[in-house]
Every structure is written in structure tokens, then in C-alpha cells.
């Protein structure tokens, strides 16, 4: 089991083959910094697809040596995304990463019925946090793609993340389904959804994990808080994954951890044949590099 981001780096370093990373619409300074970091450590071989003049200007300004990198000149962002996504079919070890294009444009390409990557699964975002205030790695989903998922969508989001955690060595992830309170209230849909998912897990309809909810954030991550509220839960105080009620709650928690609690993070999009690196311009250079490593850890060898 990978216990921290340093162990993730060691795991990727131990893989025999460098992974090919395709950066779609590569004329983005922040993405190029993360790609250069990963390439300099020997984790990836970059393929830059985009406006070559703009790409070269950025890499020259940064002093990067790109002689061994593959550069593909495609100034049109739509065609650059198509070219990048299409490359994924030729190399089962390749990683796709968003560069200087809107998230919606890249996801539209991934979901294209003719040359995209989607194989019938719901796409979802997974973030993996290392926090000095929590005793192990903590996954959070979904904070970036699904806006207001219902119970069926939450089940798919949960199972995407659980399958990924299995790959990371967490054999039976404990999943806390987050709401504002710990009791089911028909006026609060998040509590109803949590109760449905918990019952489905106990009935064997959701497998490979241990699910409990609704749980508020405090008693989900703190045994003391759960005990103070007389909550008897096999998950409270020790979850591996927080399933968030909606994108607003997930996004706020993600940014609170990264900006206010000194947490480090790696994140990927799940549901396609392989993880996709989909970082924000506001994400740190460290989190982008970690996200590349997290995707590389799960691509085929």
C-alpha cells in the first residue's frame, strides 16, 4: 500500500518503462513546468501537441531543453485535442494531460463517440491528499466534474474511486458518504443518497469497500467527534475516501485542504481506460507533478 506521495514517487520510479505523456494544447506555462519536472526525473517522455511557436517561446523562456521531446504543431485547439486523444489508442501506456485549453474542450474530446476514450463509464474526478493533520492518505471525490449527482451517479463515482484505490494498495477502502448531518432527513437529499449507498453496500450491491453514511465531515474524520455524538460506525475516524454530496462541497473542501492546511495533493479523472491529468491553472507545480505521477502509477506497463 502506498502511504504517502513520496512512496508514490518511489513506486513510479521502480517501473521499468517511462510513460509517454501527451500534453493537449501544450502552450501553457504551468503545465509545461510540471511536465518538465516529471521528465527530468525520468518518469515520462513528453509529447507536446499545440501551437509550436507559442510552445517554443515558453520553453525557451524557461530554459528547457526539448531536443528529445516529441513536438507536434497544431495551432487549432480543437484539432490539437483530437490529435492528442487519438494518440491514446496507439499506446496503452500513454497518459493524457490537459494543457492550455478549457476543461470542457478536453472532456468533449475524451467523450467523442468516434475517436474518444469513454467506454460507457461515468467520468469522475479523484483527489488523493497527504495532510499533516490526518493519519493516512485521504481520497476525495468528486470535486470537479459531476455537478449534482444523484444516487446512481454517486454509486458510479464511488466505484471509480474504489477501483483506483485498490490499485494503490487499499484492499478494502472505508468510504464516508458526506452530508451536513448524520441522520437521514428527507429535506436534505445528500442524507437520503448516503443512506441508499450504505444500504446497497450492506446488501452486496456495492462491493470491494465498506460504506457508511450520512456522516458529517467532523465525525467522518475524527473518532473523538464520532464518540462525542454517540455515532457507532465502522468508518468514522478512519475513512480512505470521502464521497462528497455535490461539486460545491467537494471543491470547497479540496481548496481548503490545499490552501489552508498544508496538504499535498495528486488528482486524476477516472472512468476512461486510463487516468487523465486534468489540473487547474491555480494548482501548484507540486500538485501537477504529483498528478502526473498518480496517472503514471496506473497506466499499463
Amino acid at each position: 500500500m502506498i502511504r504517502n506521495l513520496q512512496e508514490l514517487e518511489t513506486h513510479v520510479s521502480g517501473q521499468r518503462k517511462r510513460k509517454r505523456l501527451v500534453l493537449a494544447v501544450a502552450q501553457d506555462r504551468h503545465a509545461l513546468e510540471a511536465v518538465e519536472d516529471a521528465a527530468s526525473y525520468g518518469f515520462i517522455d513528453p509529447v507536446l501537441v499545440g501551437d509550436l511557436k507559442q510552445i517554443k517561446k515558453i520553453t525557451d523562456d524557461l530554459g528547457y531543453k526539448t531536443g528529445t521531446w516529441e513536438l507536434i504543431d497544431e495551432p487549432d485547439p480543437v484539432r490539437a485535442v483530437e490529435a492528442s486523444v487519438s494518440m491514446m489508442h496507439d499506446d496503452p501506456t500513454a497518459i493524457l494531460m490537459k494543457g492550455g485549453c478549457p476543461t470542457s474542450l478536453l472532456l468533449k474530446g475524451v467523450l467523442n463517440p468516434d475517436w474518444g476514450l469513454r467506454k460507457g463509464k461515468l467520468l469522475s474526478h479523484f483527489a488523493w491528499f497527504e495532510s499533516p493533520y490526518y493519519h493516512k492518505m485521504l481520497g476525495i471525490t468528486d470535486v470537479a466534474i459531476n455537478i449534482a449527482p444523484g444516487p446512481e451517479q454517486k454509486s458510479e463515482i464511488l466505484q471509480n474511486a474504489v477501483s483506483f484505490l485498490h490499485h494503490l494498495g487499499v484492499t478494502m477502502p472505508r468510504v464516508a458518504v458526506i452530508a451536513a448531518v448524520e441522520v437521514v432527513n428527507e429535506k436534505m437529499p445528500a442524507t437520503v443518497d448516503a443512506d441508499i449507498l450504505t444500504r446497497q453496500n450492506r446488501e452486496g450491491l456495492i462491493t470491494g469497500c465498506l460504506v457508511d453514511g450520512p456522516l458529517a465531515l467532523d465525525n467522518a474524520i475524527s473518532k473523538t467527534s464520532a464518540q462525542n455524538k454517540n455515532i457507532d460506525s465502522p468508518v468514522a475516524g478512519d475513512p480512505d475516501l470521502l464521497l462528497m454530496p455535490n461539486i460545491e462541497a467537494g471543491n470547497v473542501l479540496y481548496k481548503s485542504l490545499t490552501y489552508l492546511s498544508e496538504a499535498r495533493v495528486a488528482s486524476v479523472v477516472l472512468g476512461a481506460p486510463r487516468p487523465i491529468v486534468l489540473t487547474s491553472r491555480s494548482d501548484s507545480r507540486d500538485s501537477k507533478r504529483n498528478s502526473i505521477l498518480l496517472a503514471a502509477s496506473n497506466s499499463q506497463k
Side-chain angles (χ1 to χ4, degrees), residues 8 68 116:
L8 175 66
T68 60

Side-chain angles (χ1 to χ4, degrees), residues 171 193 253 261 264 277 299:
T171 56
D193 293 351
L253 179 58
S261 74
R264 300 177 66 206
V277 181
S299 61

Side-chain angles (χ1 to χ4, degrees), residues 154-166 170-175 196-212 241:
K154 286 179 180 177
S155 176
E156 292 188 69
I157 292 168
L158 186 158
Q159 291 178 80
N160 279 348
V162 165
S163 295
F164 197 68
L165 285 168
H166 288 168
V170 185
T171 56
M172 185 58 69
R174 297 175 185 269
V175 183
I196 291 171
L197 294 171
T198 300
R199 285 189 284 107
Q200 288 179 341
N201 178 242
R202 291 173 182 170
E203 293 167 3
L205 300 176
I206 296 175
T207 61
C209 58
L210 184 61
V211 179
D212 197 22
L241 178 69

Side-chain angles (χ1 to χ4, degrees), residues 41 77 142 150 267:
Y41 278 90
D142 178 334
S267 59

Side-chain angles (χ1 to χ4, degrees), residues 2 24 27 30 36 52 67 83 117 164 194 215 246-247 254 258:
I2 298 172
Q27 55 270 22
H30 300 279
E36 199 278 336
L52 192 55
L117 297 176
F164 197 68
L215 290 170
N246 53 47
I247 198 170
Y254 178 101
T258 53

